[in-house]
Amino acid sequence: ALARSSHTPPGVERPAAPDPRSVAAEYTGQAMNAFHWIAAAVTLASTLQAQPRDMKGTIDLLKKGSNLSAQDAGKLEERVKKKPDDTEARTELLSYYAAPSAGADLSAVKAARLRHILWLIENDPKHVLFRVSMGVHRLHCAGDDLADPGAYRRVEEAWLEQIKRNSGDAEIRRAAVDAIQYCSPEQAEQILTEAKDSPGLGRLYAAAVLGVTGGSYLSNDPAGSDPEFRKRPFAEKAQRALEEATNKDFLVAAAGALLRDGAILWADGKLDWDYTPLGNRLLAKAERAAPEAISLLTLPTTLPARGERPAITIRVGGNAQQANLIRRVTPLYPQRARELGIQGSVQLTVVLGLDGKVLFLHSDSGPEELTPSAEDAVRQWEYRPTTLNGKPCFVVTRVDVNYVLPPK
């Protein structure tokens, strides 16, 4: 039945009241300080409620681990000694070790991290930890406070062994590539080529051209760039592959990685090479090949100011975003649809700009007689700008426009 109010014209259903449980926010690229993004994800991401329970549980464990005391960590290590398959304790510990406190024994931290990472690779290579937007399971091959080249090699060998044991397993392949792609790009390329993974190759080549040295231990952001990495023969090969690319999926992934990660590195003062000419050439080709790819709409196309990271994109549930609607144009019920007795729901994917205005929309489903009316109206809607940590962000959301004929 149609629920009407004095503000709802006949024939168009009034939007449902926002349900705070349906808020969906998907963090897509920009790291927050330390583990603050985890708290934000747990608060905002109802997408996690739709994920398998272990995904949300892992996020909660990572948050918990970031707040452990040294005494707490010691107790968890004792738990693991008694019960090696306690992956929850290992997850908390890896989160704890990813941001050691001042004065911590870094040699002990390195050894502990390696021990837990290797155990998970060898015994649980499909653990959800390898899929979350978090880098606690990574080791940088060049060496740093939390890793050394020898440890990286052991991790690489462990992942390659898993690929041998589990040939054709896409999940293990993705995790392996994530672990080795920056320091062993040739090996990652072979894995991706054998799997015909065009998006993965696009991202791999973009990282090589940028000279990315690894992923952050605290997020999915690039940790740094090395000019020597950009001089490697593989980087030269990658640049040629990017310039000559025609595959749609490859182009979309490569343009996104190059422009997004390049902007993050530039803003953080970790890149001195202007990647934007190549990035914009890729973007132009990707837009021609895949005009429906909404991920291309919010890419930063110019060099950001130092210290000013580009705006991120979050995904917000339709009911939750409805609370921010400040201008709603009521769709007109098409006369032809009325005459034919057509009613139903038009579902739209909508991208909102930093100013809250509709940047792009796409019809996902619904009667074709009703779709143009819904699109015309929603295109004029305006929302309050959305911010995260005080900074404006792009929003991807869903809008349902329901058409109901009055009873005869």
Side-chain angles (χ1 to χ4, degrees):
L2 176 63
R4 293 179 182 158
S5 74
S6 58
H7 302 291
T8 306
V12 178
E13 187 173 350
R14 185 184 183 192
D19 180 356
R21 294 172 299 177
S22 71
V23 178
E26 181 180 333
Y27 188 69
T28 57
Q30 179 169 332
M32 303 179 185
N33 291 334
F35 287 78
H36 292 175
W37 77 267
I38 297 179
V42 172
T43 301
L44 298 174
S46 74
T47 48
L48 294 178
Q49 297 175 7
Q51 297 276 1
R53 182 176 299 178
D54 60 352
M55 176 69 83
K56 184 178 187 304
T58 299
I59 294 292
D60 290 339
L61 289 170
L62 290 169
K63 180 184 177 184
K64 186 178 178 182
S66 69
N67 294 313
L68 289 176
S69 66
Q71 185 177 11
D72 293 333
K75 291 179 180 178
L76 286 179
E77 288 287 5
E78 290 300 318
R79 268 176 54 184
V80 171
K81 287 180 182 178
K82 296 176 181 177
K83 187 181 179 184
D85 62 349
D86 189 342
T87 58
E88 291 189 355
R90 290 184 188 275
T91 299
E92 286 188 54
L93 285 166
L94 282 173
S95 182
Y96 169 74
Y97 292 134
S101 58
D105 181 351
L106 293 181
S107 62
V109 170
K110 284 184 181 182
R113 289 188 75 236
L114 177 61
R115 183 173 66 252
H116 293 303
I117 292 168
L118 284 173
W119 190 94
L120 286 170
I121 297 171
E122 292 165 357
N123 296 277
D124 196 1
K126 298 178 76 168
H127 192 281
V128 68
L129 182 65
F130 299 123
R131 303 200 306 272
V132 297
S133 297
M134 188 69 188
V136 298
H137 56 279
R138 297 193 181 106
L139 291 170
H140 295 160
C141 65
D144 54 32
D145 288 346
L146 302 181
D148 59 64
Y152 167 78
R153 290 300 171 194
R154 291 181 64 185
V155 164
E156 179 185 25
E157 290 169 3
W159 276 120
L160 294 180
E161 179 60 29
Q162 284 296 340
I163 288 180
K164 288 180 183 178
R165 293 181 195 170
N166 302 278
S167 177
D169 191 305
E171 198 172 315
I172 290 178
R173 182 182 70 244
R174 284 192 294 268
V177 169
D178 176 70
I180 71 173
Q181 60 182 325
Y182 306 112
C183 301
S184 303
E186 294 87 357
Q187 186 67 62
E189 180 188 41
Q190 180 180 337
I191 295 169
L192 294 168
T193 300
E194 290 175 354
K196 299 180 180 179
D197 187 341
S198 296
L201 285 168
R203 290 187 290 269
L204 175 70
Y205 292 149
V209 168
L210 288 170
V212 178
T213 55
S216 169
Y217 295 142
L218 303 178
S219 72
N220 256 359
D221 292 343
S225 173
D226 186 341
E228 293 304 313
F229 276 36
R230 297 204 303 273
K231 295 177 183 178
R232 295 184 298 189
F234 187 85
E236 297 176 2
K237 175 183 178 179
Q239 173 121 10
R240 290 194 301 272
L242 293 176
E243 295 281 13
E244 298 169 2
T246 57
N247 179 275
K248 176 178 72 171
D249 295 332
F250 178 103
L251 286 167
V252 171
L258 191 67
L259 289 171
R260 181 178 56 251
D261 290 352
I264 291 171
L265 290 167
W266 184 274
D268 290 352
K270 296 177 179 178
L271 186 67
D272 58 4
W273 170 66
D274 185 355
Y275 58 89
T276 58
L278 175 59
N280 284 319
R281 289 197 299 274
L282 279 173
L283 178 59
K285 290 200 294 183
E287 289 173 333
R288 289 193 297 270
E292 76 288 353
I294 62 175
S295 63
L296 301 176
L297 296 171
T298 59
L299 292 175
T301 57
T302 59
L303 289 176
R306 297 288 191 184
E308 290 295 327
R309 285 187 165 204
I312 66 170
T313 302
I314 63 173
R315 187 176 295 273
V316 179
N319 286 345
Q321 188 61 26
Q322 195 71 31
N324 292 321
L325 186 61
I326 57 178
R327 181 173 185 262
R328 181 179 187 275
V329 174
T330 301
L332 297 175
Y333 209 126
Q335 184 60 36
R336 181 60 175 166
R338 283 182 181 275
E339 294 171 354
L340 295 174
I342 296 172
Q343 57 185 357
S345 178
V346 177
Q347 297 177 353
L348 305 171
T349 294
V350 178
V351 181
L352 304 177
L354 301 180
D355 57 1
K357 295 182 180 179
V358 174
L359 186 64
F360 172 86
L361 58 77
H362 177 267
S363 174
D364 300 320
S365 65
E368 61 181 19
E369 294 84 357
L370 301 174
T371 298
S373 165
E375 291 179 342
D376 289 345
V378 174
R379 195 172 282 112
Q380 302 174 67
W381 289 11
E382 295 181 22
Y383 296 79
R384 279 188 292 273
T386 300
T387 61
L388 189 61
N389 283 358
K391 295 185 177 182
C393 51
F394 297 100
V395 171
V396 178
T397 190
R398 170 175 152 169
V399 172
D400 292 347
V401 182
N402 300 312
Y403 293 81
V404 180
L405 290 169
K408 295 181 179 179

